[in-house]
Short mmCIF file of all heavy atoms in Angstrom, two decimals:
data_model
loop_
_atom_site.label_atom_id
_atom_site.label_comp_id
_atom_site.label_asym_id
_atom_site.label_seq_id
_atom_site.Cartn_x
_atom_site.Cartn_y
_atom_site.Cartn_z
N ALA A 10 0.86 -1.15 0.06
CA ALA A 10 0.05 -0.04 -0.04
C ALA A 10 0.90 1.24 -0.03
O ALA A 10 1.97 1.17 0.60
CB ALA A 10 -0.96 0.00 1.27
N SER A 11 0.46 2.27 -0.68
CA SER A 11 1.27 3.54 -0.78
C SER A 11 0.57 4.59 -0.17
O SER A 11 0.20 5.57 -0.83
CB SER A 11 1.73 3.66 -2.18
OG SER A 11 0.57 3.85 -3.06
N GLY A 12 0.21 4.55 1.16
CA GLY A 12 -0.39 5.68 1.77
C GLY A 12 -1.93 5.75 1.62
O GLY A 12 -2.57 6.65 2.07
N GLU A 13 -2.51 4.63 1.08
CA GLU A 13 -4.04 4.65 0.90
C GLU A 13 -4.64 4.60 2.27
O GLU A 13 -4.19 4.03 3.22
CB GLU A 13 -4.50 3.62 0.06
CG GLU A 13 -4.04 3.59 -1.40
CD GLU A 13 -2.81 2.79 -1.58
OE1 GLU A 13 -2.12 2.46 -0.63
OE2 GLU A 13 -2.55 2.48 -2.70
N THR A 14 -5.85 5.32 2.36
CA THR A 14 -6.73 5.13 3.49
C THR A 14 -7.80 4.14 3.15
O THR A 14 -8.42 4.35 2.10
CB THR A 14 -7.29 6.51 3.88
OG1 THR A 14 -6.21 7.40 4.15
CG2 THR A 14 -8.13 6.34 5.28
N SER A 15 -8.06 3.16 4.01
CA SER A 15 -9.05 2.16 3.68
C SER A 15 -10.47 2.74 4.01
O SER A 15 -10.61 3.57 4.71
CB SER A 15 -8.82 0.95 4.52
OG SER A 15 -9.01 1.18 5.98
N ASP A 16 -11.32 2.23 3.15
CA ASP A 16 -12.74 2.49 3.34
C ASP A 16 -13.34 1.55 4.45
O ASP A 16 -14.32 1.85 5.14
CB ASP A 16 -13.54 2.30 2.08
CG ASP A 16 -13.11 3.25 0.97
OD1 ASP A 16 -12.91 4.39 1.37
OD2 ASP A 16 -12.99 2.74 -0.14
N VAL A 17 -12.78 0.34 4.52
CA VAL A 17 -13.16 -0.67 5.46
C VAL A 17 -11.96 -1.09 6.26
O VAL A 17 -10.94 -1.41 5.65
CB VAL A 17 -13.82 -1.86 4.81
CG1 VAL A 17 -14.19 -2.99 5.82
CG2 VAL A 17 -14.94 -1.47 3.85
N THR A 18 -12.10 -1.11 7.55
CA THR A 18 -11.02 -1.49 8.39
C THR A 18 -11.46 -2.82 9.21
O THR A 18 -12.51 -2.75 9.83
CB THR A 18 -10.65 -0.45 9.42
OG1 THR A 18 -10.04 0.62 8.60
CG2 THR A 18 -9.50 -0.97 10.40
N ILE A 19 -10.69 -3.82 9.20
CA ILE A 19 -11.03 -5.07 9.88
C ILE A 19 -10.06 -5.05 11.12
O ILE A 19 -8.88 -5.03 10.97
CB ILE A 19 -10.73 -6.34 8.99
CG1 ILE A 19 -11.71 -6.23 7.80
CG2 ILE A 19 -10.92 -7.61 9.86
CD1 ILE A 19 -11.49 -7.34 6.84
N ARG A 20 -10.83 -5.01 12.27
CA ARG A 20 -10.10 -4.95 13.54
C ARG A 20 -11.02 -5.34 14.64
O ARG A 20 -12.20 -5.25 14.56
CB ARG A 20 -9.49 -3.56 13.86
CG ARG A 20 -10.60 -2.47 14.08
CD ARG A 20 -9.99 -1.28 14.76
NE ARG A 20 -10.92 -0.21 14.78
CZ ARG A 20 -11.74 -0.07 15.84
NH1 ARG A 20 -11.79 -0.91 16.83
NH2 ARG A 20 -12.54 1.00 15.91
N PRO A 21 -10.40 -5.99 15.74
CA PRO A 21 -11.23 -6.32 16.77
C PRO A 21 -11.97 -5.12 17.43
O PRO A 21 -11.34 -4.09 17.54
CB PRO A 21 -10.25 -6.95 17.88
CG PRO A 21 -9.09 -7.38 17.00
CD PRO A 21 -9.08 -6.36 15.94
N GLN A 22 -13.20 -5.33 17.80
CA GLN A 22 -14.04 -4.20 18.30
C GLN A 22 -13.95 -4.14 19.77
O GLN A 22 -13.67 -5.21 20.43
CB GLN A 22 -15.52 -4.36 17.82
CG GLN A 22 -15.73 -4.50 16.30
CD GLN A 22 -15.21 -3.38 15.55
OE1 GLN A 22 -14.01 -3.04 15.57
NE2 GLN A 22 -16.00 -2.80 14.74
N THR A 23 -14.20 -3.03 20.34
CA THR A 23 -14.29 -2.96 21.86
C THR A 23 -15.63 -3.44 22.24
O THR A 23 -16.52 -3.55 21.48
CB THR A 23 -14.09 -1.48 22.30
OG1 THR A 23 -15.21 -0.60 21.86
CG2 THR A 23 -12.71 -0.89 21.76
N LYS A 24 -15.78 -3.65 23.61
CA LYS A 24 -17.12 -4.17 24.07
C LYS A 24 -18.19 -3.11 23.78
O LYS A 24 -19.35 -3.38 23.64
CB LYS A 24 -17.06 -4.43 25.51
CG LYS A 24 -16.18 -5.66 25.72
CD LYS A 24 -16.17 -6.10 27.23
CE LYS A 24 -15.15 -7.27 27.37
NZ LYS A 24 -15.57 -8.15 28.42
N ALA A 25 -17.81 -1.75 23.69
CA ALA A 25 -18.88 -0.71 23.49
C ALA A 25 -19.25 -0.60 22.00
O ALA A 25 -20.23 0.00 21.71
CB ALA A 25 -18.30 0.59 23.88
N GLU A 26 -18.53 -1.16 21.12
CA GLU A 26 -18.80 -1.05 19.75
C GLU A 26 -19.53 -2.25 19.09
O GLU A 26 -19.27 -3.39 19.69
CB GLU A 26 -17.45 -0.89 18.88
CG GLU A 26 -16.72 0.32 19.20
CD GLU A 26 -15.34 0.24 18.56
OE1 GLU A 26 -14.80 -0.85 18.23
OE2 GLU A 26 -14.70 1.32 18.42
N PRO A 27 -20.39 -2.11 18.23
CA PRO A 27 -20.95 -3.26 17.53
C PRO A 27 -19.95 -3.98 16.71
O PRO A 27 -18.79 -3.46 16.44
CB PRO A 27 -22.10 -2.69 16.65
CG PRO A 27 -21.87 -1.17 16.58
CD PRO A 27 -20.97 -0.88 17.68
N SER A 28 -20.21 -5.30 16.17
CA SER A 28 -19.29 -6.07 15.49
C SER A 28 -19.04 -5.51 14.13
O SER A 28 -18.01 -5.72 13.48
CB SER A 28 -19.69 -7.49 15.43
OG SER A 28 -20.99 -7.55 14.98
N ILE A 29 -20.02 -4.75 13.65
CA ILE A 29 -19.83 -3.96 12.31
C ILE A 29 -20.49 -2.58 12.42
O ILE A 29 -21.71 -2.54 12.82
CB ILE A 29 -20.29 -4.82 11.02
CG1 ILE A 29 -20.06 -4.04 9.73
CG2 ILE A 29 -21.67 -5.18 11.23
CD1 ILE A 29 -20.26 -4.86 8.52
N TRP A 30 -19.81 -1.50 12.12
CA TRP A 30 -20.33 -0.21 12.28
C TRP A 30 -19.69 0.79 11.34
O TRP A 30 -18.51 0.57 10.86
CB TRP A 30 -20.37 0.20 13.72
CG TRP A 30 -19.00 0.43 14.27
CD1 TRP A 30 -18.16 -0.55 14.63
CD2 TRP A 30 -18.30 1.67 14.56
NE1 TRP A 30 -16.93 0.05 15.17
CE2 TRP A 30 -17.05 1.41 15.08
CE3 TRP A 30 -18.65 2.95 14.33
CZ2 TRP A 30 -16.12 2.32 15.44
CZ3 TRP A 30 -17.69 4.02 14.60
CH2 TRP A 30 -16.55 3.62 15.11
N THR A 31 -20.35 1.85 11.09
CA THR A 31 -19.86 2.90 10.19
C THR A 31 -19.58 4.18 11.05
O THR A 31 -20.52 4.63 11.76
CB THR A 31 -20.86 3.30 9.08
OG1 THR A 31 -20.98 2.03 8.32
CG2 THR A 31 -20.27 4.36 8.13
N GLN A 32 -18.45 4.74 10.90
CA GLN A 32 -18.15 5.95 11.61
C GLN A 32 -18.64 7.12 10.83
O GLN A 32 -18.27 7.31 9.56
CB GLN A 32 -16.61 6.09 11.71
CG GLN A 32 -16.14 7.30 12.46
CD GLN A 32 -14.64 7.26 12.72
OE1 GLN A 32 -14.24 6.26 13.39
NE2 GLN A 32 -13.91 8.08 12.23
N GLN A 33 -19.63 7.87 11.37
CA GLN A 33 -20.21 9.06 10.59
C GLN A 33 -20.27 10.24 11.51
O GLN A 33 -20.73 10.20 12.63
CB GLN A 33 -21.75 8.69 10.30
CG GLN A 33 -21.87 7.53 9.34
CD GLN A 33 -23.41 7.14 9.15
OE1 GLN A 33 -23.89 6.38 9.98
NE2 GLN A 33 -23.99 7.67 8.16
N TYR A 34 -19.60 11.31 10.89
CA TYR A 34 -19.62 12.54 11.70
C TYR A 34 -20.51 13.62 11.09
O TYR A 34 -20.90 14.53 11.75
CB TYR A 34 -18.17 13.10 11.72
CG TYR A 34 -17.21 12.31 12.69
CD1 TYR A 34 -16.08 11.65 12.14
CD2 TYR A 34 -17.54 12.13 13.99
CE1 TYR A 34 -15.29 10.94 12.94
CE2 TYR A 34 -16.72 11.42 14.78
CZ TYR A 34 -15.57 10.76 14.24
OH TYR A 34 -14.78 10.06 15.18
N ALA A 35 -20.79 13.46 9.80
CA ALA A 35 -21.66 14.46 9.13
C ALA A 35 -23.18 14.20 9.23
O ALA A 35 -23.53 13.12 9.82
CB ALA A 35 -21.19 14.59 7.67
N GLY A 36 -23.97 14.95 8.63
CA GLY A 36 -25.40 14.74 8.57
C GLY A 36 -25.90 13.78 7.52
O GLY A 36 -25.14 13.24 6.81
N CYS A 37 -27.13 13.80 7.45
CA CYS A 37 -27.80 12.91 6.53
C CYS A 37 -27.42 13.35 5.06
O CYS A 37 -27.29 14.47 4.78
CB CYS A 37 -29.38 12.97 6.59
SG CYS A 37 -30.00 12.17 8.05
N GLY A 38 -27.08 12.33 4.33
CA GLY A 38 -26.64 12.56 2.93
C GLY A 38 -25.28 12.82 2.71
O GLY A 38 -24.76 12.90 1.58
N GLU A 39 -24.48 12.92 3.84
CA GLU A 39 -23.07 13.08 3.76
C GLU A 39 -22.41 11.68 3.98
O GLU A 39 -22.68 11.02 4.91
CB GLU A 39 -22.60 14.09 4.86
CG GLU A 39 -23.10 15.48 4.67
CD GLU A 39 -22.68 16.15 3.43
OE1 GLU A 39 -21.55 15.97 3.05
OE2 GLU A 39 -23.49 16.91 2.86
N SER A 40 -21.38 11.37 3.17
CA SER A 40 -20.67 10.12 3.35
C SER A 40 -19.99 9.97 4.65
O SER A 40 -19.65 10.89 5.30
CB SER A 40 -19.59 10.07 2.24
OG SER A 40 -20.08 10.09 0.92
N GLY A 41 -19.96 8.74 5.05
CA GLY A 41 -19.33 8.31 6.35
C GLY A 41 -17.70 8.42 6.21
O GLY A 41 -17.32 8.56 5.17
N GLU A 42 -17.15 8.13 7.29
CA GLU A 42 -15.68 8.15 7.36
C GLU A 42 -15.05 6.76 7.02
O GLU A 42 -14.15 6.66 6.26
CB GLU A 42 -15.17 8.54 8.65
CG GLU A 42 -15.67 10.02 9.20
CD GLU A 42 -14.95 11.08 8.42
OE1 GLU A 42 -13.66 10.93 8.24
OE2 GLU A 42 -15.49 12.04 8.03
N GLN A 43 -15.56 5.81 7.63
CA GLN A 43 -15.07 4.42 7.54
C GLN A 43 -16.01 3.36 8.08
O GLN A 43 -16.79 3.61 8.84
CB GLN A 43 -13.79 4.34 8.20
CG GLN A 43 -12.80 3.31 7.86
CD GLN A 43 -11.44 3.45 8.48
OE1 GLN A 43 -11.32 3.91 9.60
NE2 GLN A 43 -10.40 3.16 7.67
N ILE A 44 -15.88 2.11 7.55
CA ILE A 44 -16.60 1.03 8.10
C ILE A 44 -15.60 0.12 8.84
O ILE A 44 -14.52 -0.09 8.34
CB ILE A 44 -17.20 0.19 7.00
CG1 ILE A 44 -18.22 1.01 6.11
CG2 ILE A 44 -17.93 -1.02 7.51
CD1 ILE A 44 -18.69 0.28 4.88
N PHE A 45 -15.97 -0.26 10.06
CA PHE A 45 -15.24 -1.10 10.90
C PHE A 45 -15.93 -2.49 11.04
O PHE A 45 -17.06 -2.57 11.28
CB PHE A 45 -15.07 -0.49 12.20
CG PHE A 45 -14.19 0.70 12.18
CD1 PHE A 45 -14.86 2.02 12.22
CD2 PHE A 45 -12.91 0.69 12.27
CE1 PHE A 45 -14.02 3.19 12.09
CE2 PHE A 45 -12.06 1.84 12.21
CZ PHE A 45 -12.66 3.04 12.13
N VAL A 46 -15.14 -3.56 10.91
CA VAL A 46 -15.58 -4.83 10.92
C VAL A 46 -14.75 -5.67 11.85
O VAL A 46 -13.49 -5.74 11.70
CB VAL A 46 -15.62 -5.56 9.51
CG1 VAL A 46 -16.20 -6.96 9.66
CG2 VAL A 46 -16.44 -4.76 8.53
N ASP A 47 -15.40 -6.40 12.88
CA ASP A 47 -14.64 -7.32 13.70
C ASP A 47 -14.36 -8.58 12.92
O ASP A 47 -15.22 -9.17 12.31
CB ASP A 47 -15.42 -7.59 14.92
CG ASP A 47 -14.77 -8.28 15.98
OD1 ASP A 47 -14.12 -9.43 15.67
OD2 ASP A 47 -14.68 -7.91 17.18
N PRO A 48 -13.07 -9.03 12.93
CA PRO A 48 -12.73 -10.24 12.08
C PRO A 48 -13.48 -11.50 12.51
O PRO A 48 -13.74 -12.49 11.81
CB PRO A 48 -11.24 -10.40 12.28
CG PRO A 48 -10.95 -9.59 13.58
CD PRO A 48 -11.91 -8.56 13.61
N ASP A 49 -14.05 -11.43 13.76
CA ASP A 49 -14.72 -12.68 14.32
C ASP A 49 -16.03 -12.91 13.57
O ASP A 49 -16.64 -13.95 13.66
CB ASP A 49 -14.97 -12.59 15.78
CG ASP A 49 -13.67 -12.69 16.61
OD1 ASP A 49 -12.71 -13.23 15.99
OD2 ASP A 49 -13.66 -12.26 17.74
N ILE A 50 -16.54 -11.88 12.89
CA ILE A 50 -17.86 -11.99 12.29
C ILE A 50 -17.77 -12.31 10.73
O ILE A 50 -18.87 -12.55 10.07
CB ILE A 50 -18.82 -10.83 12.49
CG1 ILE A 50 -18.36 -9.61 11.70
CG2 ILE A 50 -18.91 -10.64 14.01
CD1 ILE A 50 -19.38 -8.55 11.62
N LEU A 51 -16.62 -12.42 10.23
CA LEU A 51 -16.43 -12.51 8.77
C LEU A 51 -17.03 -13.81 8.29
O LEU A 51 -17.52 -13.95 7.11
CB LEU A 51 -15.02 -12.39 8.35
CG LEU A 51 -14.38 -10.98 8.54
CD1 LEU A 51 -12.93 -11.05 8.18
CD2 LEU A 51 -15.15 -9.98 7.73
N GLY A 52 -17.17 -14.87 9.07
CA GLY A 52 -17.69 -16.17 8.58
C GLY A 52 -19.29 -16.22 8.88
O GLY A 52 -19.88 -17.22 8.49
N ARG A 53 -19.76 -15.17 9.41
CA ARG A 53 -21.21 -15.17 9.77
C ARG A 53 -22.04 -15.14 8.50
O ARG A 53 -21.71 -14.49 7.53
CB ARG A 53 -21.52 -13.96 10.56
CG ARG A 53 -22.88 -14.01 11.26
CD ARG A 53 -22.95 -13.12 12.50
NE ARG A 53 -22.79 -11.74 12.22
CZ ARG A 53 -22.65 -10.93 13.42
NH1 ARG A 53 -22.62 -11.33 14.59
NH2 ARG A 53 -22.37 -9.58 13.10
N GLU A 54 -23.13 -15.98 8.47
CA GLU A 54 -23.94 -16.20 7.24
C GLU A 54 -24.54 -14.92 6.74
O GLU A 54 -24.75 -14.66 5.59
CB GLU A 54 -25.00 -17.25 7.51
CG GLU A 54 -25.67 -17.66 6.28
CD GLU A 54 -26.60 -18.89 6.59
OE1 GLU A 54 -26.09 -19.95 7.24
OE2 GLU A 54 -27.75 -18.84 6.28
N THR A 55 -24.82 -13.93 7.62
CA THR A 55 -25.47 -12.74 7.28
C THR A 55 -24.55 -11.51 7.07
O THR A 55 -25.07 -10.45 6.93
CB THR A 55 -26.56 -12.28 8.32
OG1 THR A 55 -25.95 -12.10 9.59
CG2 THR A 55 -27.66 -13.37 8.43
#
C-alpha cells in the first residue's frame, strides 16, 4: 500500500462497539468516514 486510507477496516471491536459499524460525523446525505468490521464475524452467514 502506498499511503491509501481504507474504506473498510477489519479490527477487533471494543465491548462498546458493535461488530460492524460505520463511523459517521456528518449529517444525512453526507458520506461516512469508514466502516469497521470485527474479524470474528467474517464467517457469519448474514
Side-chain angles (χ1 to χ4, degrees):
S11 55
E13 295 94 343
T14 303
S15 66
D16 297 315
V17 179
T18 297
I19 298 173
R20 68 168 172 82
Q22 308 302 59
T23 66
K24 291 184 184 209
E26 297 170 338
S28 53
I29 182 170
W30 64 283
T31 302
Q32 183 171 298
Q33 294 174 277
Y34 290 118
C37 289
E39 299 292 326
S40 297
E42 299 286 321
Q43 197 169 40
I44 299 171
F45 293 94
V46 180
D47 189 306
D49 291 342
I50 70 164
L51 291 177
R53 193 155 60 192
E54 195 171 304
T55 59

